[in-house]
Amino acid sequence: MKVLLSFCLLLLLAAPQALACGSVGACAVGDRSYRALVPPGWDGEVKLPVLVHFHGWGRQGKNVLNNKRITGPAAKNEMLLVAPDGINKSWSFWGGSDRDVVFLDRVIEDVAMRFAIDRNRIFVSGFSYGGAMAWQVACLRGDKYAGYLPIAGGLWRQSDVDCTGPVRLAHVHGLDDNVYGLPIGPLDQIEDGVLLWRRMNGVIDQIPKRFEHARYDCLSWSSDLTLCTHEGGHFIPKDWLGWMLPRMLRAQSIAG
């Protein structure tokens, strides 16, 4: 019996700190929290790229970890999935607020203590209000993170906003989204949906390259800024992250 207890104690001591929280329980950061999910087969030592995903309004990080449209691509690309919890199940991005951006800074520091991560390959995503939160992080932190993948949510009144740029960003939005619509220019110009990033990336006068992929009609300004639309409504397209995450990872790898 003593041998068995000693063996169990050794296992607990040898277990990585990450097992104390994550997919089973929330990881505490002060009076706030986040969830985390490691890819299958991770040995606890190889440095993982990170996908931070901000949940939509009325949700929490645990909902992100139950969404296969997010967890599947993260696992396939061998990424640590990090899902912060918003205050009152929402995010503060109005009027240039930095409250939740500072919270993300603290989350990343905590993640780095619990998990082996590659700080040069941290990507930020989010859906709806979470997509707007991803824009806010991009605005206030610029190229601190390797890339941004907002879904069906962004900052409005983009002509009045100044941010830190340039950034690598790929935005997707449904043209039939009646919950959080894509801002369209006065001449129904789809490209004005990312007017802010065209300015920040210095491509405001550049004619974008147009291409199609599966259900998506896309515009790209160099390899760093892409806007894709689809004919659907307010949801996370099931194949979006599966397609765009590898593109982001490759672009970041080439950039060094």
Side-chain angles (χ1 to χ4, degrees), residues 135 156 158 171-175 177 180-185 189-194 227-229:
W135 272 54
W156 286 74
Q158 296 180 34
H171 183 100
V172 66
H173 221 113
L175 294 178
D177 189 335
Y180 202 124
L182 177 71
I184 303 296
Q189 296 169 313
I190 295 294
E191 55 263 41
D192 279 356
V194 289
L227 168 64
C228 293
T229 58

Side-chain angles (χ1 to χ4, degrees), residues 80-100:
L80 173 68
L81 177 60
V82 174
D85 293 317
I87 293 177
N88 296 323
K89 300 183 179 182
S90 188
W91 302 108
S92 178
F93 52 84
W94 307 106
S97 171
D98 69 348
R99 183 194 72 186
D100 290 330

Side-chain angles (χ1 to χ4, degrees), residues 64-78:
V64 172
L65 268 55
N66 288 324
N67 190 327
K68 293 182 179 179
R69 297 186 179 191
I70 305 168
T71 60
K76 186 174 182 179
N77 288 280
E78 300 182 321

Side-chain angles (χ1 to χ4, degrees), residues 28-110:
V29 178
D31 60 352
R32 299 187 63 178
S33 60
Y34 67 91
R35 302 276 177 154
L37 184 66
V38 301
W42 181 54
D43 63 6
E45 296 182 1
V46 173
K47 289 188 176 181
L48 297 171
V50 178
L51 175 64
V52 176
H53 186 92
F54 290 103
H55 60 75
W57 182 84
R59 300 287 182 171
Q60 283 288 50
K62 64 182 180 181
N63 300 110
V64 172
L65 268 55
N66 288 324
N67 190 327
K68 293 182 179 179
R69 297 186 179 191
I70 305 168
T71 60
K76 186 174 182 179
N77 288 280
E78 300 182 321
M79 304 180 77
L80 173 68
L81 177 60
V82 174
D85 293 317
I87 293 177
N88 296 323
K89 300 183 179 182
S90 188
W91 302 108
S92 178
F93 52 84
W94 307 106
S97 171
D98 69 348
R99 183 194 72 186
D100 290 330
V101 177
V102 172
F103 171 54
L104 176 60
D105 293 339
R106 297 173 62 201
V107 166
I108 294 301
E109 293 307 314
D110 191 78

Side-chain angles (χ1 to χ4, degrees), residues 206-211 217-222 225-227:
Q206 184 182 111
I207 297 175
K209 176 183 176 182
R210 188 168 190 165
F211 66 97
D217 186 6
C218 301
L219 299 171
S220 69
W221 296 261
S222 74
L225 179 59
T226 302
L227 168 64

